């Protein structure tokens, strides 16, 4: 950046003959850009990764997004903390202060999104990024405004309760992810 800040570049390929022939990926990425611009305008970049600029180049089937650069995701941080504890021959247990600090920052981020009437849609440790001592939510392509159609994707093993459909059959209640 002009001020010497290191930024990240996210490039999304919109392969018209491949995974996005129905335009869902383009729709998800445009939604992500709009949400990030909205969060920036509302001053919520303390909790959600800040978008600096974005460009959709349909002729090249590419989308570019310039945003804050993260240092490590939460999954990597937890893995590193666990490995360091094991190398010191300590019982590999997370420090209570460590857990409380990260949980509080994540909950503040999720609360800020919910206050803006948005559900993340793919909340998992890989989508929580450390940016200068603060944990922020990233990867909003599955996000949806409350009351609108659900996001277009979620990760295996991670789905927000808002996407669950419950069904009663033969006296049993089952839940499945709405697609």
């Amino acid at each position: 950046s002009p001020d010497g800040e290191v930024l990240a570049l996210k490039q999304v390929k919109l392969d018209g003959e491949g995974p996005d022939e129905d335009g869902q990926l383009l729709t998800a990425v445009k939604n992500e850009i709009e949400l990030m611009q909205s969060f920036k305008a509302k001053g919520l970049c303390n909790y959600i990764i800040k978008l600096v600029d974005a460009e959709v180049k349909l002729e090249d089937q590419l989308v570019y997004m310039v945003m804050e650069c993260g240092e490590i995701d939460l999954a990597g941080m937890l893995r590193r903390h666990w490995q360091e504890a094991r190398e010191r021959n300590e019982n590999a247990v997370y420090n209570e202060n460590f857990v409380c600090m990260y949980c509080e920052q994540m909950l503040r981020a999720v609360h800020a999104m919910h206050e803006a009437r948005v559900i993340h849609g793919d909340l998992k440790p890989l989508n929580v990024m450390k940016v200068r001592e603060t944990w922020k939510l990233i990867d909003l392509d599955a996000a949806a405004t409350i009351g609108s159609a659900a996001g277009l994707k979620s990760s295996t093993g991670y789905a927000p309760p808002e996407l669950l459909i419950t069904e009663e059959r033969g006296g049993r209640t089952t839940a499945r992810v709405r697609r």
Side-chain angles (χ1 to χ4, degrees):
S1 79
D3 349 341
E5 182 182 8
V6 176
L7 300 172
L9 175 66
K10 178 177 181 177
Q11 177 183 314
V12 180
K13 268 190 142 171
L14 306 169
D15 187 355
E17 297 175 14
D20 197 40
E21 52 188 45
D22 60 357
Q24 282 192 328
L25 180 58
L26 178 60
T27 301
V29 172
K30 282 183 173 180
N31 179 58
E32 181 176 20
I33 291 168
E34 288 171 13
L35 283 172
M36 290 174 80
Q37 290 170 335
S38 167
F39 289 140
K40 185 177 178 181
K42 293 175 182 174
L44 296 177
C45 290
N46 290 339
Y47 307 108
I48 291 95
I49 201 83
K50 182 171 72 175
L51 180 70
V52 175
D53 198 8
E55 183 177 4
V56 178
K57 298 188 88 173
L58 290 177
E59 65 279 2
D60 297 329
Q61 292 290 291
L62 290 169
V63 177
Y64 297 103
M65 298 167 65
V66 179
M67 57 190 81
E68 291 177 297
C69 187
E71 301 157 33
I72 189 169
D73 61 54
L74 184 57
M77 176 64 83
L78 293 172
R79 198 171 30 257
R80 182 167 54 183
H81 182 79
W82 187 266
Q83 288 170 343
E84 288 172 358
R86 294 196 66 175
E87 287 169 7
R88 291 188 307 263
N89 290 322
E90 293 177 8
N91 193 5
V93 176
Y94 295 114
N95 176 296
E96 186 177 325
N97 292 332
F98 171 89
V99 172
C100 288
M101 181 182 69
Y102 297 126
C103 285
E104 180 183 357
Q105 287 188 19
M106 277 183 42
L107 290 171
R108 286 181 188 277
V110 170
H111 179 72
M113 285 190 80
H114 289 181
E115 286 291 307
R117 312 274 307 142
V118 175
I119 297 166
H120 187 281
D122 195 22
L123 192 57
K124 60 185 179 184
L126 286 171
N127 288 339
V128 180
M129 184 69 63
K130 184 177 180 186
V131 180
R132 292 179 303 279
E133 302 307 314
T134 302
W135 291 93
K136 297 186 177 196
L137 298 179
I138 64 168
D139 201 11
L140 304 178
D141 58 345
T145 24
I146 295 172
S148 71
L152 298 171
K153 74 171 187 87
S154 63
S155 298
T156 305
Y158 298 93
E162 296 86 353
L163 290 182
L164 294 179
I165 298 173
T166 57
E167 299 171 335
E168 298 236 4
R169 287 191 185 156
R172 285 182 55 140
T173 302
T174 60
R176 63 181 172 84
V177 176
R178 179 180 300 145
R179 293 284 179 205

